[in-house]
Amino acid sequence: MGANSSSLSELPENEYLKKLSGAEAISENDPFWNQLLSFSFTTPTNSAELKLLEEATISVCKSLVENNPRSGNLGALIKVFLSRTKELKISAECQNHLFIWQAHNALFIICCLLKVFISQMTEEELQLHFTYEERTPGLYGVECEDLIEELLCCLIQLIVEIPLLLPYTSRLVKTLLYNFIRQERSPPPGTHVFQQQTDGGGLLYGIASGVATGLWTVFTLGGVGSKPTPQQEQSSPLANQSLLLLLVLANLTDAPDSPNPYKQAIMSFKNTQDSTAFPSPSPHAFQINFNSLYTALCEQQKSDQATLLLYMLLHQNSNVRTYMLARTDMENLVLPILEILYHVEERNSHHVYMALIILLILTEDDGFNRSIHEVILKNITWYSERVLTEISLGSLLILVVIRTIQYNMTRTRDKYLHTNCLAALANMSAQFRSLHQYAAQRIISLFSLLSKKHNKVLEQATQSLRGSLSSDDSPLPDYAQDLNVIEEVIRMMLEIINSCLANSLHHNPNLVYALLYKRDLFEQFRTHPSFQDVMQNIDLVISFFSSRLEQAGAELSVERVLEIIKQGAVALPKDRLRKFPELKFKYVEEEQPEEFFIPYVWSLVYNSAVALYWNPHDIQLFTMDSG
């Protein structure tokens, strides 16, 4: 960098960088800063380029780390930047390109240097680099904190144009959300920022957009990154960085006496169409266009971070949840979530969890469970097991969740995943309506799979017990625990089938047909002590309809069987079916959710952030395969 730099190879010998990293203290008013900041070096636009830049400036950074506690040049550079940002708005209005250009360059250098400092030293060591100057003993810590805080406040101001006061967190959250909503396909931060004065946003917007990466790196005390996917490269860098920053801020740990203000802002914002007053006092309250937010969320679900944002809003903001559940086009949101689950093999486990929990939250609402069976879909091209020319959203949801369960049984064997899948099905079961014949078949096929697994584990347990009678040399496998788990899942499936029969038998002839076709599966569970109660209704339905089919004669067509079932559903007295408590499951976060969410968020930063690079060997918060 510096006035004469144009390539990476020249940077280690650049006279201005050498002076900055040297032992000589440079005054804030020294003409040197104008020379240093007048470089035309093209700033990196992706993590690979940033990695090359870091490698080229190793010697400069090493020298600055050694000399800065005595020279104080890092602090001086930050003060130069702060002094210039106070006049940025005036400079933009006057089209002072040179002033804005130098302010941008100053921020870029600060970002690069702070990132190196943070990666190589402790927090206490870092503070020493802000404390150089002859001061009254005992005051240096306060001034150090003031300089850091002023830098953070300044960066916030550049984004949201508010006074330099940290309590205005709602404005920052609102701006970051709107950056995500707009998805502006602008050039990556730092490229051609100052040639866009005719694009409508003005120079101030250009510098604010260019500052997004700098804000991200500095405000979160460092950043990590890797080469973005093609899909990420086509998206808006500003929207992506804004969303990642929002997720990091929202997942900062709450202090006992001071809740996370960013999380509070996310929990409380309202729709711009909502005229009701905010509860008083409401320091974090703001309004945003829910229709625009909903549209952006529907369009961006291919990315983990957009799915995580959707989860946070549904789980934490009752205004957003109520609005979304009232939409008449819920298929626009649900279909992308189902597609995530359908391609479970290609997704990381965290993304699958988030998608599944979103479904669980949605199925807590009876209105949602009814309405999804009224939405008819045509030609779901991404569903490849079978051609679905016409199917309800509800039946498709059932198919995808059952497929996820079956995948989990054969691959990951994650009890948590099983539990949430079954909970979503259970929440829906009382409102099953007009189930597609394939959805009905898959429900019974899943039960068949569970039944076979139960018999296999039972046989293994029996053989193991016989072997233990003749030999006590080796420890017994814990087949009792395996049996207990599989029986819990079988009972849940029986409860789901029972709930549908008890509440909406006459609406689901295809399920009754599938039940009768595989009636032999249920014989072994009729007298089983763990299932006797829940088997009563299922047994009654099988007996009742089997009798009517026998009376109708042999060699019946599928159409005739369905007709008999529909007639029988009307004839069966409802009071003969035993009433059970309604199946209702509610999603509740774990006691320490930060143990899951903080590493997850930072793994998203590592894998998805634009133009941020961090040495993978230095990562300790999450494993490299967690993204």
Side-chain angles (χ1 to χ4, degrees):
M1 293 166 218
N4 299 319
S5 293
S6 59
S7 67
L8 290 175
S9 60
E10 296 176 4
L11 294 181
E13 300 302 320
N14 182 277
E15 59 178 301
Y16 300 102
L17 291 180
K18 280 188 169 183
K19 184 171 182 179
L20 174 67
S21 61
E24 177 188 351
I26 307 171
S27 166
E28 300 164 41
N29 301 315
D30 196 301
F32 161 81
W33 299 110
N34 286 328
Q35 298 166 327
L36 173 71
L37 302 177
S38 295
F39 64 85
S40 56
F41 182 84
T42 303
T43 54
T45 59
N46 58 55
S47 59
E49 291 177 4
L50 191 61
K51 182 174 184 284
L52 293 175
L53 174 63
E54 288 190 11
E55 291 172 348
T57 54
I58 288 175
S59 59
V60 173
C61 293
K62 183 178 180 181
S63 177
L64 186 64
V65 168
E66 293 175 356
N67 294 321
N68 190 69
R70 295 180 299 279
S71 71
N73 287 342
L74 175 61
L77 172 61
I78 291 173
K79 290 176 182 177
V80 169
F81 169 71
L82 292 174
S83 67
R84 296 188 180 218
T85 56
K86 293 173 184 177
E87 301 178 37
L88 266 181
K89 189 169 186 178
I90 297 174
S91 299
E93 292 171 352
C94 300
Q95 297 194 12
N96 187 339
H97 296 192
L98 178 62
F99 193 91
I100 300 173
W101 173 38
Q102 290 188 349
H104 169 269
N105 287 349
L107 179 59
F108 175 70
I109 295 175
I110 291 170
C111 292
C112 293
L113 293 177
L114 279 182
K115 183 173 177 294
V116 172
F117 277 46
I118 292 165
S119 67
Q120 296 188 6
M121 59 190 67
T122 65
E123 185 175 338
E124 292 76 15
E125 291 172 331
L126 181 63
Q127 285 186 349
L128 294 176
H129 288 269
F130 287 86
T131 58
Y132 175 83
E133 279 182 23
E134 295 182 5
R135 301 185 176 96
T136 305
L139 293 182
Y140 68 89
V142 177
E143 295 193 19
C144 162
E145 291 178 3
D146 287 347
L147 181 58
I148 296 175
E149 182 174 344
E150 189 176 355
L151 176 61
L152 298 181
C153 290
C154 171
L155 295 171
I156 293 174
Q157 182 194 28
L158 288 176
I159 289 186
V160 299
E161 295 184 340
I162 61 173
L164 298 181
L165 297 172
L166 277 175
Y168 287 85
T169 53
S170 63
R171 296 288 299 278
L172 176 59
V173 171
K174 181 176 182 178
T175 302
L176 295 175
L177 278 172
Y178 269 125
N179 285 346
F180 166 71
I181 288 170
R182 291 178 182 127
Q183 291 290 320
E184 293 179 347
R185 301 302 196 268
S186 56
T191 59
H192 311 296
V193 171
F194 310 111
Q195 288 141 31
Q196 299 179 16
Q197 61 266 32
T198 60
D199 289 350
L203 285 175
L204 182 61
Y205 183 79
I207 188 68
S209 300
V211 149
T213 298
L215 168 70
W216 168 246
T217 306
V218 180
F219 192 67
T220 60
L221 296 185
V224 289
S226 63
K227 185 177 181 180
T229 65
Q231 185 255 335
Q232 290 161 353
E233 289 177 338
Q234 293 170 8
S235 65
S236 161
L238 177 61
N240 187 62
Q241 303 299 77
S242 296
L243 177 53
L244 290 171
L245 175 56
L246 179 62
L247 293 176
V248 169
L249 295 176
N251 283 280
L252 294 174
T253 306
D254 288 315
D257 55 346
S258 58
N260 179 347
Y262 305 101
K263 184 176 181 180
Q264 296 294 310
I266 286 177
M267 292 173 65
S268 59
F269 72 84
K270 290 185 176 184
N271 192 358
T272 50
Q273 305 300 314
D274 189 346
S275 59
T276 59
F278 282 100
S280 183
S282 186
H284 306 298
F286 64 92
Q287 290 179 294
I288 205 165
N289 187 311
F290 277 16
N291 182 60
S292 300
L293 177 61
Y294 180 80
T295 301
L297 286 167
C298 292
E299 293 175 349
Q300 299 299 320
Q301 286 307 304
K302 287 185 179 179
S303 75
D304 286 61
Q305 50 266 40
T307 304
L308 181 53
L309 175 63
L310 174 59
Y311 158 76
M312 287 170 49
L313 295 177
L314 281 173
H315 177 55
Q316 298 174 4
N317 190 313
S318 60
N319 303 317
V320 173
R321 184 168 61 252
T322 300
Y323 172 85
M324 288 188 176
L325 288 169
R327 295 280 305 203
T328 58
D329 61 347
M330 276 298 289
E331 67 273 16
N332 291 337
L333 187 68
V334 175
L335 281 173
I337 297 299
L338 294 183
E339 196 168 352
I340 293 170
L341 292 175
Y342 186 78
H343 296 294
V344 59
E345 309 91 349
E346 304 167 15
R347 304 291 180 181
N348 69 73
S349 60
H350 289 4
H351 199 183
V352 172
Y353 282 148
M354 290 297 100
L356 187 55
I357 292 170
I358 286 169
L359 288 185
L360 179 55
I361 293 172
L362 293 175
T363 61
E364 292 172 13
D365 182 77
D366 284 342
F368 171 83
N369 295 331
R370 286 190 296 269
S371 66
I372 56 175
H373 294 287
E374 299 169 1
V375 178
I376 304 302
L377 307 168
K378 306 279 188 178
N379 299 318
I380 307 301
T381 55
W382 48 261
Y383 193 95
S384 59
E385 271 93 337
R386 178 168 174 156
V387 176
L388 299 175
T389 55
E390 184 173 291
I391 190 172
S392 71
L393 179 61
S395 289
L396 181 63
L397 196 159
I398 292 167
L399 283 175
V400 173
V401 171
I402 287 176
R403 184 179 185 276
T404 305
I405 294 174
Q406 291 178 321
Y407 174 83
N408 185 50
M409 287 177 64
T410 57
R411 305 282 185 87
T412 56
R413 300 183 182 180
D414 186 331
K415 184 180 178 182
Y416 181 83
L417 200 65
H418 262 358
T419 301
N420 284 285
C421 285
L422 291 168
L425 290 176
N427 284 345
M428 297 168 57
S429 59
Q431 278 84 33
F432 282 172
R433 293 289 187 278
S434 304
L435 289 183
H436 190 281
Q437 61 177 16
Y438 187 52
Q441 290 171 16
R442 300 308 293 164
I443 291 173
I444 304 303
S445 295
L446 175 58
F447 184 81
S448 174
L449 186 63
L450 292 167
S451 176
K452 291 176 183 177
K453 189 172 182 64
H454 176 267
N455 293 339
K456 182 178 180 180
V457 173
L458 191 60
E459 182 181 351
Q460 289 174 333
T462 303
Q463 292 176 350
S464 177
L465 182 60
R466 288 172 182 166
S468 68
L469 296 176
S470 57
S471 170
D472 23 64
D473 294 337
S474 58
L476 285 174
D478 194 358
Y479 288 113
Q481 183 177 350
D482 292 345
L483 198 61
N484 183 59
V485 170
I486 192 66
E487 288 187 352
E488 284 181 7
V489 177
I490 287 175
R491 179 171 179 87
M492 180 72 84
M493 281 301 300
L494 289 172
E495 288 178 339
I496 289 168
I497 296 170
N498 174 71
S499 173
C500 177
L501 298 177
N503 292 282
S504 54
L505 173 66
H506 58 294
H507 289 298
N508 292 289
N510 284 327
L511 181 63
V512 177
Y513 182 98
L515 192 66
L516 294 173
Y517 190 75
K518 293 287 188 178
R519 71 191 79 177
D520 294 344
L521 283 175
F522 299 88
E523 281 293 329
Q524 62 178 310
F525 301 106
R526 182 179 296 165
T527 57
H528 195 292
S530 298
F531 312 119
Q532 274 184 314
D533 58 338
V534 75
M535 274 298 301
Q536 289 180 25
N537 286 342
I538 296 173
D539 194 32
L540 187 152
V541 168
I542 290 175
S543 299
F544 177 82
F545 285 96
S546 294
S547 175
R548 293 181 73 91
L549 290 175
E550 288 172 5
Q551 293 172 13
E555 303 298 329
L556 300 174
S557 66
V558 173
E559 292 75 15
R560 178 56 182 153
V561 172
L562 285 172
E563 183 182 341
I564 294 170
I565 289 172
K566 291 175 183 177
Q567 294 170 351
V570 177
L572 177 63
K574 292 184 178 180
D575 57 3
R576 290 185 61 185
L577 294 173
R578 178 182 169 185
K579 292 294 181 183
F580 285 82
E582 188 176 5
L583 294 178
K584 276 298 173 187
F585 294 87
K586 186 175 178 62
Y587 169 72
V588 179
E589 277 190 348
E590 300 289 338
E591 287 187 8
Q592 295 180 306
E594 65 275 5
E595 293 182 1
F596 172 85
F597 286 105
I598 291 178
Y600 179 33
V601 168
W602 281 103
S603 71
L604 294 182
V605 174
Y606 176 82
N607 286 289
S608 307
V610 179
L612 293 175
Y613 169 77
W614 202 265
N615 189 333
H617 299 295
D618 293 336
I619 295 173
Q620 300 178 11
L621 182 61
F622 57 90
T623 58
M624 287 301 297
D625 59 354
S626 65

